[in-house]
């Protein structure tokens, strides 16, 4: 009879178990001591810790440590299981077996899958058995444990086959490990670099929003690590169900490509940084491009000029090309004429790509909706103010009136003309349009010039915008459990619990805010006190307010209640005051008062020192947040702490006479 030879070779599987079985054991023990053993220890506590709805992903089970094992062990399995590919003698020996390459590859993959899933499955069985013999509902549910099994299995296989895929491309085990993690985070890094690049060239582009809303979808590692096992935010699973299906599909794709590469891989590739020489140009161009973007980002953040940004492109691209060449040639001696020519070629190619990217967004930059297209618009000082409303599931206070929408469009149109995306401005504007066709439009601008004052004033003085700028206007006093009023720079403060007092205070505060002029909004007079609210038992909320001496109704209410001295800063709270003349001839990159004050202190300028309480009281009429003026006023509250101060400023026309006389 003819003998039959099985396509399954159990000896290869046994050898794999002997070689890399220790990784599986470490994986099992790590998960066991973090999850089941932690559960058993909780059972033995006299006073068990407070649990939460996160189950096996909560603080008790140290999800961060679980993630560490999940990220490290599968990649280690891929590195050690396929190490023979990167050692010439071992590679020749392994491929001398009477077995096709594809079958050999499948045997090793099968070994890796078994050794990775087994630790997860055993820990899951321990959790299921424990749930069957005792009540564990305070710690997790079977649905939660099953999701844990699904998550760890899917992500382990994804990271494993990603490591195998990289292993087929390289001839060095150390490079395999490093490149695997680079591959998994590369989309995020590249996405972030391009987003920053666009935000530096395209007016209105909001890099903050783009990165916050979609960054996690570009890397399974970021998706895993972004989840927090503690905190007040709404409970959710670490990775969405749809994402797990997508990651499973990507794992299959990695596997299919890896099989093809393994069959095509030349045996002599062992010891080379890249096994496939055809990828060398792609690798060099990619590294040059990424480092050029990173260099441009670094220098533009430090200097905020296009000249330094271009310098960063040059330095970063040069470093990236040199690093890639050293890695591929396995020597630092890459500074020769041949590589200089290559550097010029790859540098030009990377430069063309960098230059072309912003050109694709020119229509984005110039677009301002027409009024008849707009249903409503939201304006705030930045993306995070808007996102805070979304996170707290609060209604967004849109501008809907025809006059308000038109004033927002006028401001937006002017910003497209005068804003500079690379220049940090003290004024920041974030627009959210909801169009009548259902589309949404987002834009963000920063500007430090007064060229939009007219358009800005028209928006600020609308009642609808004040509801955006001051969320407290939408807060019902009946929802407030407690409020705390405290001077921002001096000791003291007062808490209110009485519903009648809270209601009266809120009525006065809202009246003052609704009567604010544009100048009072952007540069209010006097040192402020802060108001924080406890709403429906929650201290963490977007409601807050600042009280200024110009709030006549609120100040009058405080005086009637006899708490004015505790709630607002008094001359007696101030130890001394320093007065500086705002320098006329200056070459500062910024004009805001705190920056100029720091430069004056560094230069050793002698100030006018004031300790007379009557004079200090007159100085409390200065303005906050001015970007220009005649005099800078520094209030010190404790002589032992010179870093504890607050600043106001005066124009020449409204400054007290004794200041003018001193500096004449």
């Amino acid at each position: 009879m003819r003998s039959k030879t099985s396509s399954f070779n159990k000896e290869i599987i046994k050898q794999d178990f002997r070689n890399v079985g220790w990784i599986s054991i470490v994986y099992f023990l790590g998960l066991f001591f973090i999850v089941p053993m932690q559960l058993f220890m909780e059972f033995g506590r006299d006073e068990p810790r407070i649990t939460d709805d996160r189950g096996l992903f909560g603080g008790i089970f140290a999800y961060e440590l679980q993630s560490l094992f999940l990220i490290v062990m599968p990649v280690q399995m891929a590195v050690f299981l396929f190490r023979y590919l990167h050692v010439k003698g071992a590679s020749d020996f392994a491929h001398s077996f009477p077995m096709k390459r594809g079958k050999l590859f499948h045997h090793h993959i099968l070994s890796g899958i078994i050794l990775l899933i087994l630790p997860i499955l055993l820990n899951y069985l321990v959790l299921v058995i424990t749930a069957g013999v005792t009540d564990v509902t305070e710690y997790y549910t079977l649905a939660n444990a099953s999701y844990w099994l699904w998550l760890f299995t899917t992500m382990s296989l994804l990271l494993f086959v990603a490591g195998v895929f990289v292993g087929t491309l390289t001839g060095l085990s150390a490079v395999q490990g490093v490149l695997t993690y680079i591959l998994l985070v590369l989309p995020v890094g590249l996405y972030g670099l391009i987003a920053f690049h666009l935000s530096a060239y395209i007016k209105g582009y909001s890099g903050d929003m783009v990165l916050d809303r979609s960054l996690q979808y570009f890397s399974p590692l970021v998706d895993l690590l972004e989840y927090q096992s503690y905190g007040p935010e709404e409970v959710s699973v670490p990775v969405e169900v749809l994402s797990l299906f997508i990651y499973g599909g990507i794992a299959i794709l990695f596997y299919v490509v890896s099989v093809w590469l393994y069959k095509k891989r030349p045996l002599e590739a062992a010891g080379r940084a890249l096994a496939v020489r055809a990828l060398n140009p792609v690798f060099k161009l990619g590294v040059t491009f990424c480092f050029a973007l990173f260099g441009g980002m670094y220098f533009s953040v430090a200097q905020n000029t296009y000249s330094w940004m271009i310098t960063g492109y040059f330095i970063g691209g040069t470093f990236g090309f040199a690093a890639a060449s050293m890695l591929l040639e396995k020597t630092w001696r890459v500074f020769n004429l041949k590589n200089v020519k290559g550097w010029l070629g790859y540098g030009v190619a990377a430069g063309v790509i960098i230059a072309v990217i912003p050109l694709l967004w020119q229509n984005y930059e110039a677009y301002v909706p027409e009024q008849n297209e707009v249903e409503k618009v939201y304006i705030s000082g930045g993306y995070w103010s808007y996102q805070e409303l979304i996170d707290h599931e609060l209604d967004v206070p849109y501008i809907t009136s025809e006059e308000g929408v038109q004033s927002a469009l006028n401001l937006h149109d002017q910003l497209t003309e005068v804003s500079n995306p690379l220049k940090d401005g003290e004024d920041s504007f974030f627009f959210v349009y909801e169009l009548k066709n259902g589309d949404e439009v987002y834009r963000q601008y920063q500007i430090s010039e007064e060229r939009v004052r007219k358009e800005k004033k028209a928006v600020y003085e609308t009642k609808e915008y004040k509801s955006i700028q001051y969320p407290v206007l939408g807060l019902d006093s009946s929802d407030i459990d407690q409020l705390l009023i405290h001077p921002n720079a001096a000791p003291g403060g007062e808490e209110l619990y009485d519903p009648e007092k809270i209601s009266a205070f809120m009525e006065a505060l809202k009246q003052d805010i609704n009567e604010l002029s544009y100048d009072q909004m952007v540069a209010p007079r006097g040192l402020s006190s802060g108001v924080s609210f406890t709403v429906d038992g929650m201290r963490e909320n977007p409601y807050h307010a600042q009280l200024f001496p110009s709030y006549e109704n609120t100040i009058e209410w405080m005086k009637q209640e006899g708490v004015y001295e505790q709630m607002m800063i008094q001359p007696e709270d101030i130890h001394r005051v320093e007065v500086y003349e705002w320098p006329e001839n200056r070459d500062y990159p910024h004009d805001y008062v705190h920056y100029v004050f720091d430069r004056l202190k560094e230069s050793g300028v002698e100030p006018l020192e004031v300790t007379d309480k009557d004079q200090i009281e007159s100085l409390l009429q200065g303005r906050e947040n001015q970007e220009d003026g005649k005099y800078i006023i520094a209030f010190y509250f404790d002589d032992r702490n010179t870093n504890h101060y607050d600043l106001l400023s005066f124009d020449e026309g409204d400054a007290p006479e004794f200041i003018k006389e001193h500096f004449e």
Side-chain angles (χ1 to χ4, degrees):
M1 294 179 61
R2 294 177 57 188
S3 61
K4 294 184 179 180
T5 303
S6 173
S7 61
F8 178 76
N9 192 320
K10 63 181 180 180
E11 294 302 321
I12 294 178
I13 303 295
K14 287 181 180 180
Q15 187 63 34
D16 287 339
F17 276 42
R18 284 192 291 266
N19 290 339
V20 296
W22 63 272
I23 297 177
S24 184
I25 295 172
V26 171
Y27 199 13
F28 169 76
L29 292 176
L31 294 179
F32 179 79
F33 279 103
I34 296 172
V35 183
M37 182 58 73
Q38 191 62 46
L39 177 66
F40 301 151
M41 293 169 65
E42 285 295 317
F43 288 155
R45 284 178 175 268
D46 294 332
E47 296 183 2
R49 287 178 288 179
I50 298 175
T51 58
D52 55 40
D53 294 336
R54 293 171 173 81
L56 297 177
F57 309 103
I60 289 178
F61 298 104
Y63 171 74
E64 291 77 11
L65 282 178
Q66 294 184 55
S67 300
L68 178 63
F69 278 91
L70 176 56
I71 291 171
V72 171
M73 303 316 294
V75 176
Q76 293 300 305
M77 180 69 72
V79 170
F80 283 95
L81 193 59
F82 287 88
R83 177 165 170 71
Y84 70 91
L85 283 177
H86 308 142
V87 180
K88 191 175 187 311
S91 177
D92 292 341
F93 176 75
H95 293 102
S96 66
F97 297 155
M99 179 182 291
K100 291 183 178 180
R101 279 198 186 189
K103 288 185 179 180
L104 179 62
F105 179 83
H106 294 316
H107 276 74
H108 291 312
I109 287 290
L110 179 62
S111 298
I113 291 174
I114 294 173
L115 290 171
L116 285 174
I117 292 181
L118 196 58
I120 303 170
L121 186 59
L122 290 176
N123 278 284
Y124 172 74
L125 291 176
V126 172
L127 294 172
V128 171
I129 294 171
T130 304
V133 299
T134 188
D135 183 14
V136 296
T137 53
E138 291 188 4
Y139 300 98
Y140 65 91
T141 64
L142 286 179
N144 181 249
S146 298
Y147 172 83
W148 180 88
L149 172 67
W150 184 20
L151 171 69
F152 271 71
T153 300
T154 301
M155 300 306 289
S156 292
L157 294 180
L158 173 62
L159 269 63
F160 171 64
V161 294
V164 173
F165 167 74
V166 173
T168 61
L169 290 176
T170 183
L172 297 171
S173 295
V175 173
Q176 178 187 2
V178 173
L179 286 184
T180 299
Y181 292 113
I182 291 177
L183 173 67
L184 293 170
V185 300
L186 179 62
V188 165
L190 195 57
Y191 184 70
L193 288 172
I194 292 176
F196 180 87
H197 182 64
L198 288 172
S199 66
Y201 286 96
I202 303 301
K203 296 179 181 180
Y205 185 86
S206 176
D208 291 338
M209 187 196 73
V210 170
L211 295 178
D212 179 62
R213 291 198 165 188
S214 55
L215 196 65
Q216 71 273 20
Y217 299 117
F218 286 83
S219 169
L221 297 186
V222 175
D223 209 356
L224 278 172
L225 298 177
E226 189 183 48
Y227 179 81
Q228 292 184 344
S229 61
Y230 54 88
E233 69 276 357
E234 184 180 353
V235 176
S236 62
V237 293
V239 179
E240 297 175 1
V241 171
L242 177 60
S243 295
L244 283 178
F245 281 111
I246 294 174
Y247 293 148
I250 295 174
I252 294 173
L253 179 62
F254 273 137
Y255 173 75
V256 172
V257 177
S258 298
V259 174
W260 183 81
L261 286 173
Y262 187 88
K263 293 178 179 179
K264 301 294 183 181
R265 174 192 172 95
L267 295 181
E268 62 274 13
R272 293 206 304 249
L274 284 181
V276 183
R277 291 192 183 275
L279 293 178
N280 286 6
V282 178
F283 180 75
K284 281 187 178 182
L285 178 59
V287 174
T288 302
F289 174 70
C290 290
F291 272 90
L293 284 180
F294 181 80
M297 179 182 72
Y298 176 82
F299 282 95
S300 65
V301 168
Q303 299 295 329
N304 284 327
T305 62
Y306 286 110
S307 60
W308 274 106
M309 194 171 188
I310 294 171
T311 301
Y313 293 149
F314 176 81
I315 295 174
T318 300
F319 179 84
F321 178 81
S325 299
M326 291 178 190
L327 181 62
L328 293 175
E329 298 179 25
K330 298 171 64 175
T331 178
W332 61 270
R333 297 179 179 181
V334 295
F335 304 99
N336 50 55
L337 182 60
K338 175 185 175 183
N339 280 324
V340 168
K341 293 179 179 178
W343 167 73
L344 290 173
Y346 286 107
V348 169
V352 169
I353 297 173
I354 289 173
V356 166
I357 290 174
L359 297 178
L360 302 176
W361 291 74
Q362 291 305 303
N363 291 335
Y364 177 98
E365 182 179 67
Y367 176 70
V368 178
E370 298 292 335
Q371 184 176 19
N372 59 9
E373 299 176 328
V374 179
E375 183 73 29
K376 50 189 176 181
V377 58
Y378 168 88
I379 307 176
S380 70
Y383 163 72
W384 299 110
S385 300
Y386 173 71
Q387 189 58 38
E388 187 178 18
L389 296 173
I390 304 298
D391 292 340
H392 286 89
E393 298 183 350
L394 299 174
D395 292 333
V396 178
Y398 286 99
I399 296 173
T400 57
S401 67
E402 184 175 333
E403 177 186 1
V405 170
Q406 186 59 56
S407 66
L409 291 170
N410 292 341
L411 174 60
H412 184 182
D413 187 60
Q414 183 67 5
L415 286 168
T416 62
E417 298 294 330
V418 302
S419 65
N420 182 342
L422 192 61
K423 184 176 178 59
D424 288 333
E426 286 69 53
D427 280 341
S428 181
F429 302 91
F430 181 73
F431 294 80
V432 180
Y433 294 98
E434 284 203 7
L435 305 184
K436 293 179 180 179
N437 62 6
D439 293 340
E440 292 186 345
V441 176
Y442 302 89
R443 295 293 187 273
Q444 183 164 316
Y445 302 88
Q446 283 186 302
I447 188 170
S448 57
E449 303 172 9
E450 282 295 308
R451 296 170 66 184
V452 295
R453 176 182 173 84
K454 177 183 176 182
E455 294 81 7
K456 181 180 172 183
K457 182 176 185 294
V459 173
Y460 273 43
E461 292 187 345
T462 63
K463 185 176 180 180
E464 291 171 304
Y465 178 78
K466 287 181 179 178
S467 296
I468 297 174
Q469 185 74 2
Y470 305 98
V472 69
L473 289 175
L475 180 59
D476 195 318
S477 59
S478 61
D479 296 328
I480 302 173
D481 302 317
Q482 175 256 350
L483 62 83
L484 171 64
I485 306 173
H486 52 89
N488 287 328
E494 193 77 15
E495 293 183 347
L496 296 182
Y497 295 93
D498 187 339
E500 292 185 2
K501 290 186 177 181
I502 291 175
S503 178
F505 171 82
M506 291 297 293
E507 182 179 353
L509 176 62
K510 290 181 179 181
Q511 183 177 351
D512 285 325
I513 292 175
N514 282 319
E515 293 174 356
L516 289 176
S517 67
Y518 170 76
D519 289 333
Q520 290 173 320
M521 293 174 70
V522 298
R525 289 190 180 276
L527 298 177
S528 63
S529 292
V531 187
S532 55
F533 300 87
T534 300
V535 180
D536 295 331
M538 298 293 293
R539 287 183 177 272
E540 297 292 332
N541 57 68
Y543 300 112
H544 51 81
Q546 298 293 320
L547 301 181
F548 291 91
S550 60
Y551 287 20
E552 295 179 357
N553 296 289
T554 310
I555 297 299
E556 180 62 28
W557 178 88
M558 290 181 182
K559 290 179 177 179
Q560 291 177 1
E561 293 293 326
V563 295
Y564 174 70
E565 288 76 13
Q566 292 78 32
M567 292 182 173
M568 301 296 292
I569 294 174
Q570 306 299 314
E572 292 75 19
D573 298 324
I574 300 168
H575 180 267
R576 63 184 172 89
V577 177
E578 292 179 351
V579 182
Y580 294 84
E581 189 172 22
W582 205 308
E584 295 182 359
N585 299 321
R586 59 187 184 272
D587 186 21
Y588 296 151
H590 305 290
D591 282 334
Y592 53 88
V593 64
H594 282 272
Y595 183 86
V596 176
F597 174 74
D598 289 340
R599 303 293 79 76
L600 292 172
K601 294 283 284 187
E602 291 173 359
S603 302
V605 176
E606 287 294 327
L608 166 65
E609 188 167 305
V610 180
T611 56
D612 181 81
K613 298 305 178 184
D614 291 334
Q615 291 182 336
I616 289 176
E617 185 172 10
S618 67
L619 295 176
L620 286 171
Q621 298 303 309
R623 291 187 180 276
E624 278 195 353
N625 304 324
Q626 284 197 171
E627 295 181 19
D628 203 349
K630 182 63 176 178
Y631 305 104
I632 297 175
I633 319 297
F635 297 88
Y636 291 88
F637 304 91
D638 184 353
D639 193 46
R640 294 168 298 179
N641 184 4
T642 58
N643 292 322
H644 183 206
Y645 64 86
D646 209 342
L647 299 179
L648 297 178
S649 60
F650 282 100
D651 294 325
E652 186 171 13
D654 58 4
E657 288 299 325
F658 74 90
I659 295 180
K660 298 178 184 178
E661 293 173 0
H662 175 81
F663 287 100
E664 284 182 353

